[in-house]
PDB file of all heavy atoms in Angstrom:
ATOM      1  N   ILE M  54      93.745 110.233  94.908  1.00 96.00           N
ATOM      2  CA  ILE M  54      94.754 109.109  94.741  1.00 96.00           C
ATOM      3  C   ILE M  54      94.983 108.907  93.321  1.00 96.00           C
ATOM      4  O   ILE M  54      96.105 108.524  92.931  1.00 96.00           O
ATOM      5  CB  ILE M  54      94.126 107.889  95.324  1.00 96.00           C
ATOM      6  CG1 ILE M  54      93.860 108.080  96.889  1.00 96.00           C
ATOM      7  CG2 ILE M  54      95.019 106.631  95.184  1.00 96.00           C
ATOM      8  CD1 ILE M  54      93.031 106.937  97.505  1.00 96.00           C
ATOM      9  N   GLY M  55      93.994 109.044  92.440  1.00 96.00           N
ATOM     10  CA  GLY M  55      94.201 108.742  90.995  1.00 96.00           C
ATOM     11  C   GLY M  55      95.189 109.620  90.216  1.00 96.00           C
ATOM     12  O   GLY M  55      95.938 109.044  89.414  1.00 96.00           O
ATOM     13  N   ILE M  56      95.219 110.920  90.523  1.00 97.00           N
ATOM     14  CA  ILE M  56      96.107 111.826  89.765  1.00 97.00           C
ATOM     15  C   ILE M  56      97.576 111.424  90.235  1.00 97.00           C
ATOM     16  O   ILE M  56      98.428 111.125  89.316  1.00 97.00           O
ATOM     17  CB  ILE M  56      95.775 113.305  89.988  1.00 97.00           C
ATOM     18  CG1 ILE M  56      94.480 113.566  89.328  1.00 97.00           C
ATOM     19  CG2 ILE M  56      96.884 114.167  89.594  1.00 97.00           C
ATOM     20  CD1 ILE M  56      93.888 114.966  89.624  1.00 97.00           C
ATOM     21  N   PRO M  57      97.942 111.424  91.556  1.00 97.00           N
ATOM     22  CA  PRO M  57      99.275 110.952  91.850  1.00 97.00           C
ATOM     23  C   PRO M  57      99.737 109.510  91.376  1.00 97.00           C
ATOM     24  O   PRO M  57     100.813 109.336  90.946  1.00 97.00           O
ATOM     25  CB  PRO M  57      99.318 111.037  93.401  1.00 97.00           C
ATOM     26  CG  PRO M  57      98.131 111.862  93.781  1.00 97.00           C
ATOM     27  CD  PRO M  57      97.175 111.776  92.632  1.00 97.00           C
ATOM     28  N   PHE M  58      98.611 108.563  91.506  1.00 96.00           N
ATOM     29  CA  PHE M  58      98.911 107.152  91.051  1.00 96.00           C
ATOM     30  C   PHE M  58      99.365 107.211  89.520  1.00 96.00           C
ATOM     31  O   PHE M  58     100.372 106.514  89.266  1.00 96.00           O
ATOM     32  CB  PHE M  58      97.580 106.490  91.294  1.00 96.00           C
ATOM     33  CG  PHE M  58      97.632 105.122  90.717  1.00 96.00           C
ATOM     34  CD1 PHE M  58      98.180 103.989  91.538  1.00 96.00           C
ATOM     35  CD2 PHE M  58      97.136 104.647  89.484  1.00 96.00           C
ATOM     36  CE1 PHE M  58      98.178 102.741  91.021  1.00 96.00           C
ATOM     37  CE2 PHE M  58      97.182 103.402  89.047  1.00 96.00           C
ATOM     38  CZ  PHE M  58      97.726 102.370  89.768  1.00 96.00           C
ATOM     39  N   THR M  59      98.606 107.877  88.736  1.00 96.00           N
ATOM     40  CA  THR M  59      98.926 107.784  87.293  1.00 96.00           C
ATOM     41  C   THR M  59     100.163 108.490  87.003  1.00 96.00           C
ATOM     42  O   THR M  59     100.959 108.026  86.157  1.00 96.00           O
ATOM     43  CB  THR M  59      97.754 108.442  86.527  1.00 96.00           C
ATOM     44  OG1 THR M  59      96.468 107.781  86.974  1.00 96.00           O
ATOM     45  CG2 THR M  59      97.915 108.332  85.105  1.00 96.00           C
ATOM     46  N   MET M  60     100.464 109.681  87.614  1.00 97.00           N
ATOM     47  CA  MET M  60     101.693 110.422  87.404  1.00 97.00           C
ATOM     48  C   MET M  60     102.933 109.574  87.890  1.00 97.00           C
ATOM     49  O   MET M  60     103.941 109.536  87.212  1.00 97.00           O
ATOM     50  CB  MET M  60     101.647 111.750  87.940  1.00 97.00           C
ATOM     51  CG  MET M  60     100.540 112.651  87.217  1.00 97.00           C
ATOM     52  SD  MET M  60     100.395 114.256  88.060  1.00 97.00           S
ATOM     53  CE  MET M  60     101.829 115.022  87.419  1.00 97.00           C
ATOM     54  N   MET M  61     102.784 108.986  88.981  1.00 96.00           N
ATOM     55  CA  MET M  61     103.916 108.354  89.658  1.00 96.00           C
ATOM     56  C   MET M  61     104.318 107.054  88.956  1.00 96.00           C
ATOM     57  O   MET M  61     105.456 106.732  88.589  1.00 96.00           O
ATOM     58  CB  MET M  61     103.605 108.110  91.092  1.00 96.00           C
ATOM     59  CG  MET M  61     104.531 107.244  91.872  1.00 96.00           C
ATOM     60  SD  MET M  61     105.820 108.246  92.538  1.00 96.00           S
ATOM     61  CE  MET M  61     106.732 107.168  93.527  1.00 96.00           C
ATOM     62  N   PHE M  62     103.243 106.257  88.737  1.00 96.00           N
ATOM     63  CA  PHE M  62     103.522 104.861  88.195  1.00 96.00           C
ATOM     64  C   PHE M  62     103.581 104.711  86.765  1.00 96.00           C
ATOM     65  O   PHE M  62     104.128 103.829  86.205  1.00 96.00           O
ATOM     66  CB  PHE M  62     102.519 103.870  88.834  1.00 96.00           C
ATOM     67  CG  PHE M  62     102.765 103.745  90.283  1.00 96.00           C
ATOM     68  CD1 PHE M  62     101.687 104.189  91.115  1.00 96.00           C
ATOM     69  CD2 PHE M  62     103.821 103.163  90.916  1.00 96.00           C
ATOM     70  CE1 PHE M  62     101.761 104.023  92.509  1.00 96.00           C
ATOM     71  CE2 PHE M  62     104.042 103.013  92.297  1.00 96.00           C
ATOM     72  CZ  PHE M  62     102.950 103.439  93.142  1.00 96.00           C
ATOM     73  N   TYR M  63     102.893 105.742  86.072  1.00 96.00           N
ATOM     74  CA  TYR M  63     102.841 105.562  84.642  1.00 96.00           C
ATOM     75  C   TYR M  63     103.401 106.775  84.017  1.00 96.00           C
ATOM     76  O   TYR M  63     103.593 106.796  82.703  1.00 96.00           O
ATOM     77  CB  TYR M  63     101.369 105.385  84.165  1.00 96.00           C
ATOM     78  CG  TYR M  63     100.765 104.052  84.598  1.00 96.00           C
ATOM     79  CD1 TYR M  63     100.057 103.978  85.775  1.00 96.00           C
ATOM     80  CD2 TYR M  63     101.099 102.877  83.952  1.00 96.00           C
ATOM     81  CE1 TYR M  63      99.591 102.840  86.261  1.00 96.00           C
ATOM     82  CE2 TYR M  63     100.555 101.680  84.348  1.00 96.00           C
ATOM     83  CZ  TYR M  63      99.841 101.624  85.484  1.00 96.00           C
ATOM     84  OH  TYR M  63      99.377 100.423  85.989  1.00 96.00           O
ATOM     85  N   GLY M  64     103.858 107.851  84.640  1.00 96.00           N
ATOM     86  CA  GLY M  64     104.544 108.965  84.078  1.00 96.00           C
ATOM     87  C   GLY M  64     103.651 109.755  83.090  1.00 96.00           C
ATOM     88  O   GLY M  64     104.120 110.362  82.167  1.00 96.00           O
ATOM     89  N   LYS M  65     102.384 109.744  83.432  1.00 97.00           N
ATOM     90  CA  LYS M  65     101.387 110.518  82.561  1.00 97.00           C
ATOM     91  C   LYS M  65     101.258 112.007  82.966  1.00 97.00           C
ATOM     92  O   LYS M  65     101.645 112.355  84.079  1.00 97.00           O
ATOM     93  CB  LYS M  65      99.967 109.806  82.538  1.00 97.00           C
ATOM     94  CG  LYS M  65     100.053 108.431  82.032  1.00 97.00           C
ATOM     95  CD  LYS M  65     100.404 108.388  80.601  1.00 97.00           C
ATOM     96  CE  LYS M  65     100.245 107.009  79.987  1.00 97.00           C
ATOM     97  NZ  LYS M  65     100.657 106.986  78.646  1.00 97.00           N
ATOM     98  N   SER M  66     100.739 112.837  82.092  1.00 96.00           N
ATOM     99  CA  SER M  66     100.603 114.215  82.313  1.00 96.00           C
ATOM    100  C   SER M  66      99.388 114.461  83.246  1.00 96.00           C
ATOM    101  O   SER M  66      98.610 113.563  83.519  1.00 96.00           O
ATOM    102  CB  SER M  66     100.285 115.017  81.007  1.00 96.00           C
ATOM    103  OG  SER M  66      99.105 114.672  80.480  1.00 96.00           O
TER     104      SER M  66
END
Side-chain angles (χ1 to χ4, degrees):
I54 300 170
I56 292 171
F58 174 85
T59 308
M60 293 177 78
M61 173 89 172
F62 296 112
Y63 295 97
K65 297 294 182 185
S66 70

